[in-house]
Amino acid sequence: MSVKWNKTGKTTGELTFDISQAEVKLGLDQAFKRVKKNLRVPGFRKGHVSRVIFDQYYGEEALYEDALNLVLPNAYAAAIKEAGISAVGQPQIIPDSMEKGKDWTMKATVTVEPEVELGDYKGIEVPKQNTRVYAKDIDAELNKEREKNAELVLKKSAAAKGDTVTIDYKGTIDDKAFDGGSAEDYALELGSNTFIPGFEDQLIGHKAGDEVDVVVTFPEDYGAKDLAGKEAHFATKIHEVKSKQLPKLDDEFAKDVDDSVDTLDDLKEKIKKDLKSKKEEAAKDAIEQAAIEGAVKNAKIDEIPDAMIQEDVNTQMNQYLGNMQRQGIDPQTYYKLTNTTEDQLRAQFSKDAAERVKTNLVLEAIVKKEDIKASKEEIDNEIKDLAGEYNMDEKTVRNTLTDDMLSHDINVRKAIDLVADSAKQVAKSKSKKDDKKSEK
């Protein structure tokens, strides 16, 4: 194959390539088979005309457009590979020569990835991460468990913040009831902020049996537009007031929370280990993110083609909506449930698209510079992991994803590990105020 690449801009160029006569002939044969079944030629049954008769009657050139459409994708892909360029988006391809009996010549205007000049990507300084678990952290987890296991006990005194009241209420605006404004025997935790701002506060200090006229104004951005900004009166009857009774912090409580422990000390130790693990995982993620951001900041990248931005946005949207689909929510249902549109979701993913593209470009440049290559064993393990994650058999995964696609993902992850593992944690620098104090 004759291939010529002429760069015309930072991310654009002209690719000239040939389609051999052997490929052209194959395309013409395939094109003829497709049109043959519908051909009507005088003296022949429909679909039974020979290629020789077709050429005499219509001319071989009548097949050129269909043949080109059949052979062009593979020919273009082969030309891209031979030219050694990373094309993005859809090229503009026009025939330069399509003479009978000769190789066809194509000219394509191609957008390519921008060049990346790597800066420092090893030994990036990142903020030091604290993975120590403090007593207050353990106490906070224990208090969460106590809250979960709390009992509601009737109280005769006035309701306070944190208490739960059982109420009937009937709302009106200008003395007229409105949809969703009434309920009976509704359990409301005061301070939960689940009702309109101001509603819960007006019940604090009242006892069971009290009737309260609660007056509130719906927020201007309230979901129901017909209620937004309007003042409403809620005739409210308090039936019960209950307070939370937290369980005693002892061995019995520990066993109720986790049947794998026997004592409160055992539970505390288990909570400590879990918190330590979570903090270490969070620290690893933070170091990785900071290190990658540093490597990207240190690199120099030419202008990013819009085609790459749009490709990234499309990928993000397809992945996101695909996850929704696996949960049984199709795109239209998702937009309806979230009261959003496809354009709004696209705008959401467009915000950080340029940064994501830059990051991928830098990581791919590191892969190339470090000559990172996925082994066959790593590819096989990747297939097993994907099959397990998506509940598919390995054969289906192999048929869906090529080794090049799998290798790319593995290599990028290895580049991320290289950058993150070489990062140096440093303590946060003191403020100028602290520096002056130390000097004194």
Side-chain angles (χ1 to χ4, degrees):
M1 173 183 277
S2 174
V3 177
K4 182 181 178 183
W5 168 247
N6 179 34
K7 197 169 183 182
T8 57
K10 288 185 176 181
T11 59
T12 56
E14 185 178 78
L15 181 70
T16 305
F17 60 98
D18 290 340
I19 303 176
S20 70
Q21 256 298 293
E23 293 173 288
V24 170
K25 185 178 182 304
L26 182 62
L28 291 170
D29 290 342
Q30 291 175 334
F32 175 69
K33 286 179 182 178
R34 290 190 177 188
V35 301
K36 177 182 176 181
K37 57 186 177 182
N38 294 318
L39 279 176
R40 289 185 181 275
V41 177
F44 294 88
R45 284 184 297 155
K46 181 182 177 181
H48 284 73
V49 66
S50 68
R51 174 69 182 280
V52 174
I53 297 299
F54 175 89
D55 288 350
Q56 290 176 354
Y57 203 88
Y58 295 100
E60 182 185 85
E61 292 80 5
L63 297 171
Y64 280 10
E65 184 176 349
D66 288 342
L68 181 60
N69 290 335
L70 288 167
V71 300
L72 188 56
N74 287 338
Y76 172 69
I80 288 293
K81 188 173 183 179
E82 189 167 326
I85 57 177
S86 299
V88 296
Q90 293 298 318
Q92 292 181 334
I93 304 177
I94 57 172
D96 187 55
S97 172
M98 292 178 69
E99 292 184 35
K100 186 176 181 179
K102 294 183 179 180
D103 293 352
W104 288 354
T105 302
M106 303 290 131
K107 283 190 176 180
T109 301
V110 182
T111 301
V112 295
E113 291 184 356
E115 293 182 3
V116 178
E117 183 183 334
L118 289 172
D120 291 335
Y121 58 88
K122 292 180 182 177
I124 300 288
E125 292 188 349
V126 299
K128 189 173 182 62
Q129 301 298 309
N130 183 4
T131 60
R132 181 178 174 184
V133 177
Y134 297 91
K136 64 178 182 180
D137 299 328
I138 299 172
D139 290 342
E141 290 300 311
L142 287 172
N143 285 332
K144 286 181 186 177
E145 292 298 332
R146 292 181 76 196
E147 288 285 345
K148 286 182 192 175
N149 291 274
E151 293 183 3
L152 292 176
V153 179
L154 280 172
K155 61 183 288 189
K156 294 181 180 180
S157 56
K161 189 172 182 178
D163 288 347
T164 295
V165 294
T166 303
I167 58 174
D168 294 342
Y169 61 86
K170 186 174 183 179
T172 57
I173 295 178
D174 297 331
D175 296 326
K176 293 181 181 179
F178 56 90
D179 290 340
S182 302
E184 294 182 354
D185 292 327
Y186 187 92
L188 173 64
E189 181 181 341
L190 303 182
S192 63
N193 298 319
T194 54
F195 269 33
I196 307 162
F199 188 104
E200 295 167 25
D201 292 339
Q202 294 179 53
L203 298 181
I204 292 174
H206 291 280
K207 301 178 181 179
D210 286 357
E211 294 184 3
V212 186
D213 181 26
V214 177
V215 183
V216 294
T217 301
F218 283 94
E220 293 292 341
D221 59 351
Y222 194 68
K225 293 182 179 179
D226 57 324
L227 301 178
K230 293 184 178 179
E231 183 180 88
H233 288 251
F234 288 87
T236 307
K237 169 80 173 182
I238 301 176
H239 294 298
E240 291 180 336
V241 178
K242 293 181 178 180
S243 62
K244 283 183 182 178
Q245 183 172 305
L246 298 177
K248 188 177 179 182
L249 205 57
D250 56 17
D251 292 345
E252 289 304 313
F253 165 76
K255 286 187 279 188
D256 287 340
V257 170
D258 189 335
D259 56 14
S260 69
V261 302
D262 294 320
T263 67
L264 181 59
D265 287 340
D266 291 342
L267 179 60
K268 287 181 178 180
E269 187 60 32
K270 188 171 183 179
I271 290 174
K272 183 179 181 179
K273 287 181 180 178
D274 289 343
L275 290 175
K276 182 71 172 176
S277 177
K278 289 177 181 177
K279 283 198 169 189
E280 287 176 344
E281 190 63 32
K284 181 182 176 183
D285 291 343
I287 291 169
E288 181 180 288
Q289 182 176 343
I292 297 301
E293 286 177 355
V296 173
K297 186 177 179 181
N298 292 339
K300 293 181 180 178
I301 303 175
D302 286 335
E303 62 186 54
I304 298 175
D306 184 64
M308 294 190 75
I309 301 292
Q310 297 310 317
E311 189 176 294
D312 176 84
V313 173
N314 290 337
T315 299
Q316 297 296 325
M317 286 187 66
N318 289 337
Q319 289 178 349
Y320 186 78
L321 292 175
N323 288 334
M324 291 293 105
Q325 197 97 33
R326 281 188 283 276
Q327 296 174 43
I329 303 173
D330 62 69
Q332 294 309 315
T333 302
Y334 169 80
Y335 294 133
K336 188 175 181 180
L337 289 172
T338 57
N339 195 28
T340 57
T341 64
E342 181 180 339
D343 288 342
Q344 287 175 319
L345 184 62
R346 179 172 291 278
Q348 179 182 326
F349 283 119
S350 295
K351 291 177 183 177
D352 301 318
E355 198 59 33
R356 286 194 298 268
V357 172
K358 283 183 183 178
T359 300
N360 286 332
L361 286 169
V362 170
L363 291 171
E364 286 170 354
I366 293 172
V367 168
K368 186 176 181 180
K369 185 171 182 179
E370 294 288 336
D371 195 26
I372 298 173
K373 294 177 180 176
S375 66
K376 183 180 182 303
E377 183 182 358
E378 288 172 327
I379 292 174
D380 290 341
N381 289 336
E382 182 78 356
I383 290 170
K384 288 180 181 177
D385 291 343
L386 289 171
E389 182 178 350
Y390 294 103
N391 196 25
M392 300 165 64
D393 61 81
E394 292 180 26
K395 187 176 180 180
T396 302
V397 176
R398 285 186 183 276
N399 291 335
T400 305
L401 303 173
T402 65
D403 280 2
D404 284 345
M405 294 166 69
L406 294 164
S407 295
H408 175 271
D409 291 348
I410 294 168
N411 292 341
V412 167
R413 287 203 301 270
K414 291 170 82 170
I416 291 173
D417 290 341
L418 183 152
V419 175
D421 292 344
S422 68
K424 297 177 181 178
Q425 293 189 62
V426 294
K428 293 180 181 178
S429 59
K430 294 180 180 179
S431 66
K432 292 181 180 180
K433 189 176 180 180
D434 291 335
D435 289 340
K436 287 180 180 179
K437 283 183 179 179
S438 61
E439 287 174 7
K440 290 178 181 179

